[in-house]
Amino acid sequence: MVRKPTSKETARKPNMREAILAAAEELFATNGFNAVSVRDIAQAAGANPGSVTYHFKTKDGLLLEIYRRHCGPMNLRRSELLAAARRVRDLQDRLEAVVRAYVVPAFTSGSDLAGGGARFTRLRAVMSAEGNEVARKIIAQTFDDTSHAFIDAIHESLPHIPRTDIVWRSHFLLGALYYSLVTPDRVSRLSRGEADGGDAASAIEQLVQATVASFQAPPLDHAAPARRRPVVSSKA
Amino acid sequence: MVRKPTSKETARKPNMREAILAAAEELFATNGFNAVSVRDIAQAAGANPGSVTYHFKTKDGLLLEIYRRHCGPMNLRRSELLAAARRVRDLQDRLEAVVRAYVVPAFTSGSDLAGGGARFTRLRAVMSAEGNEVARKIIAQTFDDTSHAFIDAIHESLPHIPRTDIVWRSHFLLGALYYSLVTPDRVSRLSRGEADGGDAASAIEQLVQATVASFQAPPLDHAAPARRRPVVSSKA
DNA sequence: TGATGTTTTGTACGATAGTACAAATCCCAT
DNA sequence: ATGGGATTTGTACTATCGTACAAAACATCA
């Protein structure tokens, strides 16, 4: 009954619905789910609280729609980049390409929606931290496939590393990624202004290089920890 | 029946106060600050809602007290371990010791309080994600000194890496650390049961090794990205 | 024991939460 | 222009929030 594409393809007035989604996304990503009221969202969107109920029925429904809106495009983008990365010949280069395929869509727009994917990724980080039920369900059934695909791709590039280690390290990657989006100011602060934590390009490059190196670390499955070989040459 | 621990001194009945603190810590760390009501805390502690007000005045005051309770011991522990790590002769070993000195107290008890430091660290992760004001203030003025000390120590072991890169990578470390405590189940799930994300010893070992490798990655300050040399031998 | 200060209990209050719903408004095909 | 569905508005209801506060219960010491 909501469907009414009679003449002009889409809804004639997508403004309000979109504005509410954008406002909610921003507020949730910044303050968490529970700290933001429906009235806050409506006010930020220049809408009436009743409009939120009308379009999304409940507050949970609003969050759900935000996820639905982003998950598809973002995972699609990742799939494309991953497929391209898999075709890289050199194993070393391929590893970096795979990691980049995972990281880049999280920072840049996973879709054509304004604001880019960084906001949505920050939202995911916050929902994850809050243990939000709605988010947890969607995440597990939407992102686990993608995660497995990436883990497999990384494992291909590093066959001698146990899959378990790769899982841990890719988990660290996601944590680092989330945290970089949650508190970018901390980077600026600790670097005494020499780095800008909010600069996506820097964050991506730093994250990719650090992560590639972490994946390349020797496995630690063995009971007796093998003597690690020097990874950085002393040529300075 | 009960020995007398003291005559006057401090609280004669620390039970309730402690129970409230412990319950709040657990609930906040699991569900976030705003999702937990004072009544939830009181019920979990077997106390009356009024007791919370009596002991901590406000909900913010309760959170503040949780931080006060842990920050001191945890930073002390880190200082001790860092001082010991600094005395390690071999640069390679020292780097690992420094990273370990940062990671270990976050997982194991930062004090003698029941439950260990992991719960408090998880709490910090969640508060950070929610942008909690009370937490933000304490964090900046309590942990930044420690963070700088660790960054300096790492920089000592890796003089050829720009400080900016070290800041980024230690930021990633903290993010990975937080995320490991927030959603350990994801590790278990993605590894298909082969790894236990909740096992602190595994998490520490994996995190330390991955992080050490990431710190050792070549710097990327240069405009023209230098061709990275193979880090993993091709003997496999 | 009885007085005294501390802690716990019970309850109440104002504010705000999510949501429901009727009335008002808007847009487009007729 | 106009009728009718889609949207927006305004408002109200109930639940729960954080907090305050008086009374009850308790522990300690003269």
Side-chain angles (χ1 to χ4, degrees):
Chain A
M1 57 160 63
V2 200
R3 207 73 189 99
K4 184 67 189 226
T6 43
S7 62
K8 289 283 172 54
E9 155 96 322
T10 55
R12 69 199 153 162
K13 222 184 182 182
N15 306 1
M16 238 352 160
R17 195 185 142 94
E18 293 301 321
I20 292 171
L21 278 170
E25 205 177 300
E26 176 63 27
L27 288 172
F28 287 158
T30 309
N31 306 105
F33 184 77
N34 296 287
V36 178
S37 72
V38 172
R39 287 168 177 83
D40 291 336
I41 296 166
Q43 183 167 19
N48 190 285
S51 275
V52 179
T53 307
Y54 171 73
H55 284 290
F56 308 102
K57 202 61 192 170
T58 67
K59 197 182 169 190
D60 276 356
L62 173 54
L63 180 63
L64 199 76
E65 183 55 29
I66 292 175
Y67 270 82
R68 250 204 294 268
R69 181 63 62 107
H70 282 95
C71 283
M74 189 165 194
N75 275 327
L76 182 67
R77 183 90 199 288
R78 272 182 168 163
S79 293
E80 292 168 358
L81 292 178
L82 179 59
R86 270 180 192 277
R87 285 191 292 271
V88 173
R89 269 311 211 321
D90 179 75
L91 277 189
Q92 171 87 9
D93 288 341
R94 190 197 298 176
L95 175 61
E96 179 175 326
V98 170
V99 171
R100 206 176 288 275
Y102 187 80
V103 170
V104 166
F107 277 89
T108 64
S109 176
S111 68
D112 57 355
L113 300 170
R119 197 171 50 173
F120 175 60
T121 305
R122 186 153 55 106
L123 175 72
R124 283 167 53 206
V126 176
M127 294 303 113
S128 160
E130 282 189 320
N132 185 285
E133 267 308 307
V134 176
R136 172 141 49 202
K137 259 180 246 171
I138 304 185
I139 289 289
Q141 77 183 36
T142 306
F143 283 97
D144 274 13
D145 287 346
T146 306
S147 297
H148 274 121
F150 273 93
I151 289 167
D152 292 343
I154 290 164
H155 202 182
E156 266 178 36
S157 302
L158 298 166
H160 63 293
I161 306 277
R163 204 191 137 88
T164 301
D165 291 19
I166 294 179
V167 169
W168 273 108
R169 292 166 192 180
S170 64
H171 191 68
F172 298 151
L173 163 59
L174 186 53
L177 173 49
Y178 277 172
Y179 194 51
S180 297
L181 287 167
V182 166
T183 50
D185 54 292
R186 184 173 173 273
V187 173
S188 308
R189 219 169 57 234
L190 289 182
S191 73
R192 304 198 181 92
E194 280 178 44
D196 176 13
D199 178 39
S202 299
I204 290 173
E205 220 50 44
Q206 292 280 358
L207 188 53
V208 167
Q209 296 307 327
T211 301
V212 165
S214 82
F215 276 126
Q216 289 169 332
L220 49 88
D221 234 356
H222 322 77
R227 181 69 190 172
R228 49 235 167 297
R229 45 198 168 300
V231 176
V232 66
S233 75
S234 58
K235 88 178 175 77
Chain B
M1 60 170 87
V2 173
R3 64 189 168 71
K4 238 174 33 170
T6 172
S7 54
K8 323 179 175 282
E9 193 49 86
T10 48
R12 66 200 153 164
K13 221 185 183 181
N15 305 0
M16 234 357 156
R17 194 185 142 94
E18 292 302 320
I20 292 171
L21 277 170
E25 205 177 299
E26 176 64 27
L27 287 173
F28 286 158
T30 309
N31 307 103
F33 184 75
N34 296 286
V36 178
S37 72
V38 172
R39 288 168 176 81
D40 291 336
I41 296 166
Q43 183 167 20
N48 189 284
S51 274
V52 179
T53 306
Y54 171 74
H55 284 290
F56 307 102
K57 202 63 189 168
T58 68
K59 198 183 170 189
D60 276 356
L62 174 54
L63 181 62
L64 200 75
E65 182 55 29
I66 292 174
Y67 272 82
R68 250 205 292 269
R69 183 62 63 106
H70 282 95
C71 284
M74 190 169 197
N75 275 328
L76 183 66
R77 183 89 199 289
R78 272 181 168 164
S79 292
E80 291 167 359
L81 292 179
L82 179 59
R86 269 182 194 276
R87 285 191 292 271
V88 173
R89 270 304 217 321
D90 180 74
L91 277 188
Q92 171 88 10
D93 288 342
R94 190 197 298 177
L95 174 61
E96 178 175 326
V98 169
V99 171
R100 204 175 289 274
Y102 186 79
V103 170
V104 166
F107 277 89
T108 63
S109 177
S111 66
D112 56 355
L113 300 171
R119 194 170 51 174
F120 175 59
T121 304
R122 185 153 55 105
L123 175 72
R124 283 167 52 206
V126 176
M127 294 304 110
S128 159
E130 284 189 319
N132 185 285
E133 266 308 307
V134 177
R136 172 140 47 203
K137 260 179 247 171
I138 303 187
I139 290 289
Q141 75 184 38
T142 306
F143 282 97
D144 274 13
D145 287 345
T146 306
S147 297
H148 273 120
F150 272 93
I151 289 167
D152 292 342
I154 290 164
H155 202 180
E156 267 177 36
S157 303
L158 297 166
H160 63 294
I161 307 277
R163 203 191 139 88
T164 301
D165 292 19
I166 294 179
V167 169
W168 273 108
R169 292 167 190 179
S170 65
H171 191 69
F172 298 153
L173 162 59
L174 186 53
L177 172 50
Y178 277 171
Y179 194 52
S180 298
L181 286 168
V182 165
T183 51
D185 53 292
R186 185 173 174 271
V187 174
S188 309
R189 217 169 59 233
L190 290 181
S191 71
R192 304 197 181 93
E194 280 179 43
D196 175 13
D199 178 38
S202 299
I204 290 173
E205 220 51 44
Q206 292 280 357
L207 188 52
V208 168
Q209 296 306 327
T211 301
V212 165
S214 83
F215 276 126
Q216 289 169 332
L220 50 87
D221 232 358
H222 322 78
R227 179 73 189 167
R228 48 234 167 299
R229 47 202 166 300
V231 177
V232 66
S233 76
S234 58
K235 86 178 173 74

